[in-house]
Every structure is written in structure tokens, then in C-alpha cells.
Amino acid sequence: MTQPTAEHVGLLLRDARGEKGWTQGQLASELGTSQSAIARMEQGKQNLSLRMIERLESIFGRTIVKVGKRQMTHLRVEGGRTLSGSVDVNSSKNAGVALLCASLINRGTTTLRRLARIEEVNRIVEVLTSIGVECTWLNGNDLRIRRPETLDLASMDVEAARRTRSVIMLLGPLLDEAATYQLPYAGGCDLGTRTVEPHMQALRQFGLSVEAKSGFYSVQAPPADGDDRTFVLTERGDTVTENAIMAAAHRSGTTVIRNASPNYMVQDLCFYLQGLGVVIDGIGTTTLKITGSPAIDVDIEYFPSEDPIEAMSLITAGIVTNSEVTICRVPIEFMEIELATLEQMGQQLDISGEYFARNGRTRLVDVTTKPSRLRAPEDKIHPMPFPGLNIDNLPFFAVIAGNAEGQTMIHDWVYENRAIYLTELNKLGAQVQLLDPHRIYVNGPTKWRGAEVGCPPALRPAACLLLAMLAARGTSELRNIYVIERGYEDLAERLNTIGAKIEYFQD
């Protein structure tokens, strides 16, 4: 079959837009891009990734280009460019995944607005669809979810489930869905051994029995009860807290969870459940009091809030390229420690006044990076549970520290392997010294240089390599970017809107 040209694809795109009666501006709004980008696409002056083609086909409800089996996708980056302009932060990946799982509690229709179209979300949608849930994409990024009266758990898509760690979060909403069922082992990033035991400890409080057998969790549902219960989480984990909240939300009685995570995705989940009529006190604190309901049937629409990790990624792009860039819709409550740390390193930032996210609860600001001379911080940089520096934002400081005068210690005490993956920055000219599986020294400033690098099997270190390539003079290639697509929606294309020069290609 002849490969369609960019000009031919542009004509097809223009025809599809015309059939829908949209202007270029309307389509740009749906895609979260600029009208000029749509014009370039329709003129055949911009190659489209398979990911973008899939999004366009979802928006228009028709095939634009017939493509074969998906191949590995890579990125080619022309670095050393100064960025400018503004870019919006997308909705939270982690909140979106939790909300998808929580939708199973609701017998009515859930519509999630502006949901991130990322691979992690796609995998959960595939799992939900395989057990009988009707998932319909509306206008690109809105997802309508309707569950059947009885879920077909025996037909669960095992392959999709194994490709995401988030599948473990189905245990809470499926607490007593069936007397017995199996759930595939969770997958996701390769970040060393991350035990699921904290999840099991929390769910045992509700009487759930889980036994590991031959690649599956064998689950036995607890008997129905209306008991009140109070327990403490031995680990203040985000997903552990969410699993416990979802279990409590559809059980009679009142549940008090102590040492709960108050992080952004947990708050989004609580706001959604409140919309379903679940009574939750203590949102944003480490003690949650939840009065559940065993029969929830509500038609609801909900807007997940913006992603602080994506916000940090975009802020990092401005910093490492020494550019003035405005990152709009930054969830400030979950970024205050990161921004304060940057300012201590000498980074100049302009921060706007606050306004509310579309969920009416999360506080947002716009952050503008200014060209600055950075210095290494006096103390090590390390994460802490919220309201501390977010564990997923820690890796970006390895790239930023590469631009700073002096030596920075970064202590990633949560994961066994992630510090090792950050040494891949050395291929781009960085001076990263591995002290042990949890600690690195970063010596700066770095003369970033282009190179060909394969994506490590961990999302944030992979994103760090892409961001460093923006600063590296010459042309770089980042190979096999699937892990980035798990956590970001069209990151490369959105960086292009503020002056980056990144193109997709396949072998």
C-alpha cells in the first residue's frame, strides 16, 4: 500500500473538519493546540504522529488514514532553541485513572470531561470495556461511562491489565462485585519492587481476602455489613488511600482512615465521590471520614483537575532552555515546595493570582519562567509525602541541577532503580554520579550535547531525557517513547507550540 503524503492527509483532515462544520479554531480548541498548527496540518506542512491521527479519528468519528500494526515510535529533537509563548497544563493522569476505576461504583452515567488521552488511561478503558462497561469518547477528550448491572469479570482483558500498575486500584470499587474473581498482577514502570501489601492491609479492614496465585490475585469478597470501622494506613500511599476510599464509598457505615494521603489525585477522587452523594469529611488532611452508600445511581459529569507533574515538566522545559515561557493552569497547592526550591536555586519566576479549576475546588496559577543563573542548593533535594516535594517531580531536578553551578545531591528514597536511570543524562553531556540505588550527585553547569538515547522503562526519567534534549545543541534521538505516552498526552507536539522542534518517526 502506498504511504499517504502529508498533503493528502491534510486534505482528508480538512474534509473531515468541513463535514463537522467546524472552524480551524474550534478544532484547535478540541485538540488543545493553536489554529496555526491546524492550518499547517491541513496544508500538509506538518507530519502527524499515529497518536495525533488516532485523536483526530476519535474526534471526527471516522477513519482518516488506514495504518497497519503500530510500530515503535521515536522522537527526533533539534536542541539548543529558545522557547517562548504559553502552554496549558493538561488534566491529571493519576486523577483520571482513579476516576475511571471509581466510575464502577456508580450505576448511573459518569462523564469525565477533558480526560487525558494517554496510554495509561487507554489501558484502563480497555480493561473496563472488556468486562462490559460502555466507554464512549465524546469530542476527543470527554469520556462517557456506563456500567452494566453485572460486570463480566471473567472476560477481563489480561494483556491490557498487565500493562498498567493501576489495575490494582480495581480492588476497592470491585470489593463485593462478585463472590470470587481473579485480577491479573499489576504492571507499569520498572521501578524496582513495589509491594502491593499496603493495599491488602487496607482492604482486609473491609473483610476482603486476596491470595496470589500463578500471575493472578485470587479475590474473595467480604460479606455485607454496615459496620463502622477505623484504621490507620501503614503507608501513606496515594493509590493505597484511593483504594481504601473507594471500598468505603459503597459500603454501609462510616469509615475513618488515618494516615491517608491528601495528595491531588486523592482530592479529585473525593470531589467526584461527593458528587455521587458519598459524605466525606477531612479532604486535604490525613484523616478522612467516609459515610458510604451501597446503592449509587447518579448521572454526573466531572472535570479532573490539572496535573502538577506535567506542570513541573513544562516548567523544566522553560528552565533548561533558559527561556521565558508561561505555563498556564498550574495547581499551586501541589507545587509550592517545588517552586520555592527553584527560587532558592536562583530561578526567577513570575506567578499570577489564583483562580479555580473547572472542578471548582482546585486552585490554579500561571507560572512564567525567566532566564536565570542557577546555583546548587545548600541541602539535598528529596521528596516527602504531600505537602512535601512530590516524588514524581523529583527527577526533573536532576535536569535542572545540570544547569546549576555546583554539586546537587538528589535523594530518591522511594524507588530502588530510578536514580540509576537518571545517569542516562550523562549521554547528553551531564555529570551525574551514582552514589547508590537511591542517591546521585549532579555536577553543573552542563554543556548539553545531542545524542541517541533509548527510553528507560520508567516514565519520569524518560521525560527528563526529552527535556534535556531541548537544551542539547545538535540533533538528538529518543528511541521507543511508549513509556512517555503512558503518562503524557502529545507532550512533544505541545512543546512544539512554544518553539521546540521535535518530530516523530518510525524505523
Side-chain angles (χ1 to χ4, degrees):
M1 182 178 69
T2 303
Q3 182 71 19
T5 65
E7 291 80 4
H8 180 58
V9 173
L11 288 172
L12 294 172
L13 174 57
R14 187 177 63 188
D15 289 345
R17 178 176 61 79
E19 289 177 9
K20 205 167 182 71
W22 281 1
T23 64
Q24 289 181 340
Q26 287 174 299
L27 178 55
S29 177
E30 289 296 326
L31 287 172
T33 188
S34 64
Q35 183 174 341
S36 60
I38 300 299
R40 288 196 302 274
M41 292 178 192
E42 293 187 355
Q43 293 164 10
K45 295 180 179 179
Q46 182 168 320
N47 289 323
L48 301 181
S49 67
L50 290 178
R51 182 89 180 106
M52 178 59 77
I53 290 172
E54 290 169 356
R55 288 190 64 202
L56 289 165
E57 290 179 341
S58 176
I59 288 172
F60 293 128
R62 54 171 282 188
T63 299
I64 295 176
V65 179
K66 292 183 179 180
V67 295
K69 186 177 180 180
R70 184 167 181 167
Q71 299 172 295
M72 284 187 185
T73 302
H74 320 295
L75 293 176
R76 186 175 292 117
V77 184
E78 184 182 302
R81 299 167 64 91
T82 300
L83 309 182
S84 63
S86 63
V87 60
D88 286 354
V89 177
N90 278 342
S91 65
S92 163
K93 161 213 167 188
N94 289 326
V97 168
L99 293 167
L100 285 171
C101 296
S103 70
L104 295 179
I105 297 171
N106 184 22
R107 302 285 170 156
T109 298
T110 294
T111 304
L112 299 178
R113 301 289 185 186
R114 295 181 178 266
L115 188 65
R117 292 292 295 270
I118 56 176
E119 289 300 300
E120 189 83 354
V121 165
N122 290 341
R123 298 293 80 77
I124 295 297
V125 169
E126 288 173 3
V127 171
L128 297 185
T129 301
S130 70
I131 60 176
V133 180
E134 178 189 315
C135 297
T136 306
W137 288 103
L138 312 170
N139 297 325
N141 284 75
D142 298 341
L143 183 66
R144 185 180 65 211
I145 306 164
R146 293 172 175 158
R147 60 153 289 166
E149 183 63 28
T150 303
L151 297 172
D152 184 8
L153 299 180
S155 297
M156 184 175 293
D157 186 332
V158 174
E159 181 180 354
R162 291 199 193 285
R163 293 176 70 183
T164 169
R165 181 174 288 109
S166 304
V167 71
I168 194 72
M169 291 168 59
L170 291 175
L171 287 174
L174 294 178
L175 188 71
D176 50 9
E177 181 69 29
T180 60
Y181 66 93
Q182 286 189 324
L183 194 67
Y185 281 168
C189 293
D190 180 8
L191 293 173
T193 302
R194 287 178 61 185
T195 177
V196 297
E197 183 57 25
H199 291 264
M200 305 310 173
Q201 290 176 355
L203 295 173
R204 286 189 198 111
Q205 302 293 329
F206 299 90
L208 189 72
S209 173
V210 181
E211 183 179 354
K213 291 182 179 179
S214 304
F216 288 84
Y217 303 113
S218 182
V219 183
Q220 183 171 343
D225 67 52
D227 297 347
D228 296 339
R229 47 181 56 83
T230 297
F231 57 90
V232 61
L233 298 178
T234 56
E235 177 182 301
R236 194 191 299 175
D238 300 326
T239 57
V240 174
T241 301
E242 289 170 325
N243 240 341
I245 290 170
M246 289 187 285
H250 61 115
R251 298 285 279 186
S252 297
T254 297
T255 300
V256 176
I257 306 171
R258 303 194 189 279
N259 195 33
S261 166
N263 212 352
Y264 63 97
M265 70 291 284
V266 176
Q267 293 193 26
D268 251 324
L269 173 63
C270 290
F271 298 153
Y272 166 76
L273 291 173
Q274 285 181 322
L276 296 181
V278 179
V279 178
I280 306 179
D281 296 319
I283 298 174
T285 76
T286 57
T287 300
L288 294 172
K289 182 179 180 182
I290 303 162
T291 302
S293 173
I296 298 174
D297 189 342
V298 177
D299 291 340
I300 183 175
E301 72 169 15
Y302 185 78
F303 288 84
S305 64
E306 281 69 12
D307 192 332
I309 318 304
E310 182 177 285
M312 187 67 195
S313 308
L314 298 171
I315 289 170
T316 301
I319 292 173
V320 300
T321 59
N322 210 30
S323 302
E324 181 169 328
V325 177
T326 299
I327 295 85
C328 303
R329 309 188 68 81
V330 174
I332 185 62
E333 181 179 357
F334 309 102
M335 293 286 295
E336 289 176 325
I337 302 300
E338 285 85 335
L339 297 183
T341 302
L342 289 173
E343 290 178 330
Q344 289 171 5
M345 295 175 71
Q347 178 61 47
Q348 297 178 48
L349 301 168
D350 284 348
I351 301 175
S352 75
E354 295 183 1
Y355 54 97
F356 282 110
R358 296 179 182 90
N359 65 14
R361 307 286 288 274
T362 306
R363 296 181 290 114
L364 305 178
V365 298
D366 300 338
V367 176
T368 300
T369 63
K370 300 284 188 176
S372 305
R373 185 170 181 175
L374 302 183
R375 58 185 177 273
E378 294 183 5
D379 198 3
K380 67 178 180 292
I381 301 177
H382 63 96
M384 288 292 287
F386 177 78
L389 193 149
N390 193 299
I391 178 61
D392 283 334
N393 277 339
L394 183 70
F396 300 112
F397 282 93
V399 187
I400 294 167
N403 278 30
E405 294 273 357
Q407 186 177 75
T408 301
M409 176 186 278
I410 294 178
H411 186 191
D412 190 344
W413 55 266
V414 177
Y415 297 120
E416 291 92 345
N417 294 338
R418 197 163 65 175
I420 298 173
Y421 296 140
L422 290 173
T423 63
E424 289 291 285
L425 290 168
N426 291 343
K427 295 178 180 178
L428 297 166
Q431 301 173 70
V432 179
Q433 178 186 354
L434 183 68
L435 302 179
D436 57 47
H438 294 276
R439 297 180 304 155
I440 58 173
Y441 276 140
V442 182
N443 297 285
T446 300
K447 292 183 178 179
W448 299 103
R449 61 174 182 268
E452 179 182 320
V453 187
C455 266
L459 172 57
R460 307 308 170 186
C464 285
L465 287 169
L466 174 59
L467 295 170
M469 287 177 177
L470 297 178
R473 294 201 173 274
T475 300
S476 299
E477 290 184 0
L478 188 58
R479 313 283 296 183
N480 189 14
I481 61 165
Y482 175 78
V483 68
I484 292 179
E485 293 182 326
R486 278 189 53 235
Y488 293 91
E489 182 177 6
D490 301 325
L491 177 60
E493 288 161 343
R494 293 168 63 238
L495 288 169
N496 284 343
T497 67
I498 53 173
K501 190 172 182 181
I502 308 170
E503 63 179 9
Y504 294 83
F505 71 99
Q506 296 175 330
D507 296 324

